[in-house]
Amino acid sequence: MKASPAVDVRHGQMPGGITPEENKAQSLRTPIRQAPVPPQLLIPVTQPAWMEPELLVEPGQAVLKGQLIARSRQPGGIAVHASSSGIITKIGQHGVPNVSGLPETCVHLDTDGRDQWLDHKGNMDFASLQPADLLHLIAASGISGLGGAGFPAHVKLLHTPGAIHTLIINACECEPFISADEALMRERAGDIMAGIGILLQILRPRHCLIGIEDNKPQALAALAAVLDDERIEICRVPGRYPSGAERQLIALLTGEEIATGILPVERGILCQNVGTAHAIKRAICHGEPLISRVTTITGAALSDPGNFEIRIGTPIHNLLNLCGLNRQALSRLIMGGPLMGTELAGDELPLIKTSNCIIATTEAELPCPPPAQPCIRCGLCADVCPVRLLPQQLYWFARSREHHRATAHNLFDCIECGACAWVCPSSIPLVQYYRAAKGEIRAEQDLHARAEQARQRYESHQQRQAEEQARQEQRRRERAALAGGKARSGDAAQNKIQAALERVKARKTARPNEDKQ
Amino acid sequence: MTMAALSSPHGRQGQTTGRIMLEVILACVPGLAALTWFFGWGTLINIVWLALLALGLEAAVVKLRGRDIRFFLSDNSALVTAILLGLALPPTSPWWLGLTGIAFAIVIAKHLYGGLGYNPFNPAMVAYVVLLLSFPVEMTTWVLPRGATDQLPGFVTSLLMIFPFADPAPAVDAFTGATALDQFKLQRGGMLVSEFRQQNSLFGRWSGLGWEWVNLAFLGGGLYLLYRRIISWHIPLAILGSLLLLSALFYDGGSSASHGSPLLHLLGGATMLGAFFIATDPVTAATTVRGKLIYGVLIGVLIYMIRSKGNYPDGVAFAVLLGNFAAPLIDYLSRPRTFGHPE
């Protein structure tokens, strides 16, 4: 084994960025703990956009841990497995931690406490497997990206060999409060490295860069200690939010800036999160589908925050109680970090595959913003924008609904990282303005597209009508021409008719009874 | 359990607009102290007078606009306008001069344009220029600095000069006159620079007597603002750099055609106040990095042009206002390259 030292990033840089208080130490005091099996699991069968879930179980049915309970009707969806053994009691709509707040179909599973596995086995010798087989196993294990977006891993990894030259492993975890990946790296670096090995086996890139922030020396040392592949390089990036945003990390590690609208894979670069690498290792080597994940449960409203290995579908209130929730102090519940996380409508929602952190915060820790004051164009927002936008200009355009100008100032390149609003001295909810403006612009574009479609349909309708008229006119002219021709060749026609009439008469006289039969 | 859902981000760093303004006020203290030392209590009295008026006017306009008075006064921006105007006015300018100026600044230059954040021109400089054009005599009559006179007005004299309701009014002509830049421009009459400086008691070691220290004090305050990251270095450096370059180019060795040494310009008149406190007003300045440099150079060049070729001895207010005019265009033309986009 070769302990290759980490290299500091020299290539690229990220514009802007902020260094908010980390708040990670409170959840890193203890090692990863196992969250107990809750009495009831609420397992969402949510599929990526436009795909429909197909349920494979029904109420009353007993299931085992790891049993497939739902999948997508279309290819490219996410398989859903029971996270513990028990009886399905209900399948219905239930709130899930998502941005829209819309309920999703969830499988209600009353656990039996035995936590009994379905027969499963893995294959430690993954090097003997073909990329296609590995992808098939990953798809069957229901692995979605654990970093945040939750894109199905097997879809993201499906590439022709050689199409990806650089695999980037995102170990940044740059948002405050979240320490799940850090804990995972400290304690299960070997599994992560094996997962990276599987990714290398699938993609066969020229090199693999692990991007890790310089504020995680222990995690970095743990990774370096198990590093045994020439292709893998551990790169230290400055601890500055949002260094873990996909494109920002790519810029830091490779120097290449990839604009919104271009997928990194089009440039031969693919990013995966350390948590995903870990899940892939569990799936391939142990045959365990993605039924649990490591999540940070933290916040000042908890007396005992920490990182837990939690079954997907565990209701959040079970987790909060586990960590000693002070219900009086609790002001807000946030899934994810304080900068890009989603505020949860309640604690009865289940933990999902992309829940990397739950923050049960207090008013003192993350105060509600005071009323917005006027923008004084101080430009702090522009200084911290990691996309080099002009947030205060975009704010004016969004406010005055000057959508064409907002678009011309590249509003759609905004990654909604929240750095601008974080530093705004006037406490303006800038990101909210951008989201609203983007929504309005999309609605406008949609309207335009539909108007354009209607116009095209109307025009082609008119054209068809004109063509029909022209055809009729043509036929009329042909008939007229024919009529004129008849007039001139009248005798010949008359003769033909006369001949035909005579033939009929002759037939009738030959067989007089035929008509009467 | 149900809870209110807010949009991300869910926290913010502690800086507030009100505190930024307080920092600016704090950074004005050295300059104010220097002005008071060299020109008597007048500036301080004027600032108190203007601040009271500014707060009253701000409250009145905010009430007329149907807004919450306490909330809008808490941004401290009216105080900053009052203090900047107070620092720019002659120390013994009469009460009505300040009243006219601050009323113009708060009511017209600020609130008629929509209030804080919406005004295209720096309110204090708009007021200053309005006063300069309307009341040129009052606006160019300065107390002689300490060192050039032994009759520096005391607190009561300054107060009575600003509020001349006492009978009899103190004789003021004895210790007021034009400033060093004024004299340098208008009364040199073809003398060599060194010759003129020897003859004229209004010159100090590098620039105007007293003024050089006032400018150094404002420079100190400006460095504090830089250190506290209230302002960025781009605008002051561009202004001072371009002013230094031009004045060095055309110093002409101090000949009779010289427009003055770089130090005369850098430490004379309102240079440092303008570079660190006026031109950096974020509302009216350019905001992009390149834009700030262009904006600063524009102002620096204009200050030099007005001082050397214009009709006024100092040109900071005009230069800043002209810069304000150009700021939106500069911003538009100097947009940074968005991440991943071609140049």
Side-chain angles (χ1 to χ4, degrees), chain B residues 173-256:
Chain B
D173 293 341
F175 43 81
T176 59
T179 63
L181 276 180
D182 207 355
Q183 299 230 332
F184 184 83
K185 185 177 189 81
L186 301 172
Q187 293 172 14
R188 190 148 55 99
M191 270 187 267
L192 295 176
V193 171
S194 50
E195 219 179 342
F196 181 70
R197 288 176 68 147
Q198 271 173 6
Q199 287 192 5
N200 197 303
S201 63
L202 283 178
F203 282 86
R205 194 188 303 255
W206 307 293
S207 184
L209 186 64
W211 285 103
E212 51 200 23
W213 292 105
V214 169
N215 269 286
L216 286 172
F218 279 121
L219 172 64
L223 293 177
Y224 171 77
L225 288 181
L226 279 178
Y227 168 70
R228 299 285 295 162
R229 298 183 175 230
I230 303 295
I231 59 172
S232 71
W233 54 268
H234 305 85
I235 294 175
L237 189 80
I239 293 179
L240 299 179
S242 54
L243 190 58
L244 175 70
L245 190 73
L246 283 178
S247 52
L249 271 178
F250 297 103
Y251 176 50
D252 202 13
S255 75
S256 58

Side-chain angles (χ1 to χ4, degrees), chain B residues 38-260:
Chain B
F38 283 102
F39 298 99
W41 292 94
T43 304
L44 188 61
I45 297 168
N46 251 323
I47 282 177
V48 173
W49 168 236
L50 290 175
L52 291 174
L53 289 172
L55 291 176
L57 285 163
E58 177 98 349
V61 180
V62 167
K63 189 170 164 54
L64 275 176
R65 296 178 66 193
R67 309 282 174 89
D68 180 12
I69 294 176
R70 275 186 64 146
F71 179 71
F72 276 87
L73 284 188
S74 71
D75 63 36
N76 297 325
S77 61
L79 271 184
V80 170
T81 301
I83 289 168
L84 293 181
L85 182 60
L87 291 171
L89 287 184
T92 53
S93 56
W95 61 274
W96 52 265
L97 200 68
L99 171 63
T100 315
I102 199 68
F104 207 90
I106 299 289
V107 179
I108 294 174
K110 184 177 177 188
H111 277 291
L112 286 193
Y113 283 100
L116 178 65
Y118 294 84
N119 49 304
F121 305 108
N122 185 312
M125 288 304 100
V126 171
Y128 184 85
V129 165
V130 165
L131 294 179
L132 187 62
L133 298 181
S134 314
F135 311 105
V137 176
E138 285 81 358
M139 287 297 285
T140 48
T141 308
W142 274 76
V143 180
L144 294 179
R146 184 186 290 268
T149 172
D150 46 8
Q151 274 188 298
L152 202 66
F155 183 78
V156 177
T157 319
S158 298
L159 194 66
L160 286 175
M161 285 167 79
I162 294 169
F163 300 98
F165 302 119
D167 192 35
V172 294
D173 293 341
F175 43 81
T176 59
T179 63
L181 276 180
D182 207 355
Q183 299 230 332
F184 184 83
K185 185 177 189 81
L186 301 172
Q187 293 172 14
R188 190 148 55 99
M191 270 187 267
L192 295 176
V193 171
S194 50
E195 219 179 342
F196 181 70
R197 288 176 68 147
Q198 271 173 6
Q199 287 192 5
N200 197 303
S201 63
L202 283 178
F203 282 86
R205 194 188 303 255
W206 307 293
S207 184
L209 186 64
W211 285 103
E212 51 200 23
W213 292 105
V214 169
N215 269 286
L216 286 172
F218 279 121
L219 172 64
L223 293 177
Y224 171 77
L225 288 181
L226 279 178
Y227 168 70
R228 299 285 295 162
R229 298 183 175 230
I230 303 295
I231 59 172
S232 71
W233 54 268
H234 305 85
I235 294 175
L237 189 80
I239 293 179
L240 299 179
S242 54
L243 190 58
L244 175 70
L245 190 73
L246 283 178
S247 52
L249 271 178
F250 297 103
Y251 176 50
D252 202 13
S255 75
S256 58
S258 169
H259 291 301

Side-chain angles (χ1 to χ4, degrees), chain A residues 122-150:
Chain A
N123 185 350
M124 293 303 282
D125 181 25
F126 58 82
S128 65
L129 293 172
Q130 287 301 308
D133 300 330
L134 291 168
L135 283 175
H136 180 75
L137 285 171
I138 289 170
S141 303
I143 294 172
S144 60
L146 297 186

Side-chain angles (χ1 to χ4, degrees), chain A residues 20 71 82-83 90 133 147 215 291 314 322 341 357 362-363 389 430 471 487:
Chain A
R71 61 185 173 205
S83 346
K90 187 181 154 194
D133 300 330
N215 55 11
I291 54 168
T314 304
L322 194 65
C357 181
T362 61
E363 181 59 26
L389 296 172
L430 292 163
R471 267 199 300 277

Side-chain angles (χ1 to χ4, degrees), chain A residues 283-306:
Chain A
I284 301 292
C285 298
H286 308 279
E288 293 173 10
L290 180 57
I291 54 168
S292 68
R293 65 159 296 148
V294 174
T295 299
T296 308
I297 310 292
T298 187
L302 305 175
S303 59
D304 183 23

